Amino acid sequence: MGVYMCTVCHYGYDPAVGDPDQGIAPGTSFADLPDSWVCPLCGVGKVLFEPEE
């Protein structure tokens, strides 16, 4: 489970941390995020995220 980066604002979604502010528990992989999840910084959807290299 790697980090996925927002291509707009460069926020990194880290599965080890999750996104507690949006109810996403630590350990939740990027693939398991609901389709309605958005970047907590800029509000774009999952389609604008890419795996960190």
Side-chain angles (χ1 to χ4, degrees):
M1 290 194 305
V3 173
Y4 275 71
M5 301 298 292
C6 177
T7 59
V8 175
C9 73
H10 305 290
Y11 165 81
Y13 174 77
D14 184 350
V17 176
D19 184 3
D21 292 340
Q22 294 192 67
I24 306 298
T28 302
S29 71
F30 187 80
D32 289 336
L33 291 173
D35 290 338
S36 60
W37 182 84
V38 296
C39 177
L41 296 184
C42 70
V44 299
K46 288 175 57 176
V47 297
L48 291 177
F49 277 71
E50 295 180 348
E52 183 179 54
E53 294 182 11

